[in-house]
Every structure is written in structure tokens, then in C-alpha cells.
Amino acid sequence: MERREFIKSSVLLGTTSMLMASKSFVAHSKASEYKYTERLSEQELTLSKLDYPSSLVENPQQEIVKVRLKPQIARRYSNKIYILFESSNSIDIYDEHGRKISEIPLMVHVKDFTIDEKRQRVFVIGETAFTVYTLDFNGEILGSFGEFGVELKHQLSGIKSITCDKAGHVHILNTYSNDIKKFDSQGVYLMSYAPTSLTKQPKLLSIDGFDFIEVVGGKFADTVYKFDISGRSIG
């Protein structure tokens, strides 16, 4: 279990932005350089050279103005960035220089998503609190899984976050049970796991990972729990 370090935005603006402007889409710390995937904050995207999409809206003065769309979910996989923007019906794909190179059309409302680049699949949390949809990179729905309930270990109630590991297994952070439920790529339940604590178990907030799984939790989202893809704690 480790504490996350927060860097003042003034320092980021004074140093990181200049490097990013000339070298890469997102600057990573030494610790994150070896991660295949990570979630990106809006601040990290703002410091990049990302070509944001925009929309025309009418302001209170009844003037038509161009407004930059805000990212709702942004995830890096290797050297590509996958972003779902507000009011968007696609997941936009960007290269490391911030150029849009492709998109994955969406036919369902998406609360969170995870990418399996090797198998060209996308797993998305849909409109319900218990359903995961499997899409291909053309946006076609290949299937879905998830059963609502709170009594059995495989049941889901309030999916909060999702990630896919290197073996193609799907790890789901479930709100009601405050644990992670692991499924295979066909939606077959495999196991559940969670951080162990001598006191009250901390509230889990989000999940990420590929070679290993990271779960963010704590009252101030300042604690990271690490697991291998089998659900064993490694830090």
C-alpha cells in the first residue's frame, strides 16, 4: 500500500508542459514509464497538445459559440490514448503526439471502458449498474454479461470501474460489495478479491491495470492497493 504524491500545478506548468510540447503526448514519471496502461486526469490532458473536439452551442446572450468538449474518461494504452468526451457517441483514439487517428463508435451509453488491444475488444459499463458489454473496434456489440444481485459472489450491483488484464480477464470494481470481481472474457465469474485491513475496509474508488492491478481507495483517494492479476496483494 503506498501514498500517492501530488505535485503542485504551478510546478507542472513551469516544467512539464515545455517537455510535452516538444516530445510526447503525456509525460510519465519514472514509476509509470513501465505501465502499459494508466488513467489520465483532465489536467494531464490539458498540458498536452491534444486536438480537442468542440461543439457549437448557444450562450445566454443567444450567440452561437464554439465550446471545447471535456473528457469524461481518458486511458492510455501503450502509446495510444483512448478518450470518451462529454456528449460524444464514440471513443476517440489519439497517438502520442495528440493527433486523432481513429475512433470506436458507440451504440450504448458508457460510464467506463477498458481496452483489450491484443484481441481488439472493448469492455464497457452500460446504462445499468450490473451489465458489461463487449464491443469490437468497429463498435459492434459482441455480447454482454452481468447478473444483478447482492447475495451471490458473481452478482453485480453498482459497477463503478473496470479494467482488463494481460490475460484478457475483466476486473470489475463493484460498489455494493466494495470488492473486485474477476471474470473471463466470456463473462464467466472466476473470483473476488479486495484489500485486507485490520480496521474498517476503505472505500474503493477506481481500478486500473494490465500486467498488475491497481485499486485507488481511501477517503481522499490517496491510497493505492496493488494486486497481481490473480488477485494476490503485492503492495
Side-chain angles (χ1 to χ4, degrees):
M1 186 171 67
E2 62 182 18
R3 294 286 174 184
R4 304 170 95 187
E5 295 182 357
F6 293 91
I7 304 173
K8 291 184 179 179
S9 59
S10 59
V11 177
L12 284 171
L13 289 171
T15 58
T16 308
S17 58
M18 292 186 293
L19 293 174
M20 294 179 67
S22 60
K23 292 185 178 181
S24 64
F25 178 40
V26 177
H28 310 293
S29 67
K30 289 183 179 180
S32 64
E33 284 176 354
Y34 302 100
K35 293 181 183 178
Y36 173 77
T37 179
E38 64 180 337
R39 293 182 183 270
L40 301 174
S41 67
E42 186 173 352
Q43 183 186 47
E44 288 172 309
L45 292 175
T46 300
L47 290 172
S48 73
K49 297 170 62 178
L50 177 70
D51 183 17
Y52 275 76
S54 59
S55 177
L56 296 177
V57 299
E58 185 176 324
N59 65 16
Q61 291 73 40
Q62 297 185 328
E63 301 171 329
I64 302 300
V65 295
K66 182 181 290 188
V67 177
R68 191 179 75 171
L69 299 182
K70 293 183 178 181
Q72 290 186 329
I73 306 165
R75 306 188 69 166
R76 178 185 64 81
Y77 289 86
S78 187
N79 61 350
K80 295 186 181 69
I81 309 294
Y82 296 77
I83 305 177
L84 175 65
F85 289 95
E86 61 179 353
S87 305
S88 176
N89 58 0
S90 67
I91 297 172
D92 294 344
I93 307 174
Y94 293 82
D95 65 17
E96 60 185 346
H97 303 292
R99 294 188 295 257
K100 182 178 176 179
I101 56 176
S102 186
E103 65 180 41
I104 301 171
L106 298 172
M107 293 185 287
V108 295
H109 176 74
V110 175
K111 296 179 181 178
D112 194 18
F113 68 83
T114 185
I115 304 293
D116 184 350
E117 289 191 320
K118 181 179 179 180
R119 301 165 185 83
Q120 296 285 287
R121 295 177 303 185
V122 185
F123 296 97
V124 305
I125 300 173
E127 295 180 355
T128 70
F130 58 89
T131 303
V132 176
Y133 293 94
T134 306
L135 316 178
D136 62 19
F137 270 33
N138 295 315
E140 295 293 329
I141 299 177
L142 303 178
S144 64
F145 64 90
E147 177 185 326
F148 176 76
V150 298
E151 297 180 352
L152 302 178
K153 288 186 177 181
H154 72 278
Q155 293 178 324
L156 299 167
S157 179
I159 300 176
K160 183 176 292 184
S161 188
I162 187 172
T163 201
C164 180
D165 67 31
K166 61 184 178 182
H169 297 144
V170 182
H171 300 248
I172 298 171
L173 177 53
N174 192 58
T175 300
Y176 182 85
S177 54
N178 195 41
D179 66 1
I180 300 95
K181 299 183 183 295
K182 178 181 174 182
F183 294 79
D184 71 12
S185 60
Q186 302 302 312
V188 176
Y189 173 78
L190 301 175
M191 64 173 294
S192 298
Y193 62 96
T196 56
S197 176
L198 297 177
T199 58
K200 182 179 179 181
Q201 182 172 319
K203 184 177 181 180
L204 305 180
L205 303 172
S206 69
I207 188 171
D208 193 18
F210 181 76
D211 294 303
F212 57 89
I213 306 300
E214 288 188 334
V215 183
V216 176
K219 184 176 180 180
F220 301 104
D222 58 353
T223 305
V224 179
Y225 303 90
K226 291 185 179 180
F227 303 86
D228 64 19
I229 64 173
S230 298
R232 290 188 293 266
S233 176
I234 57 176

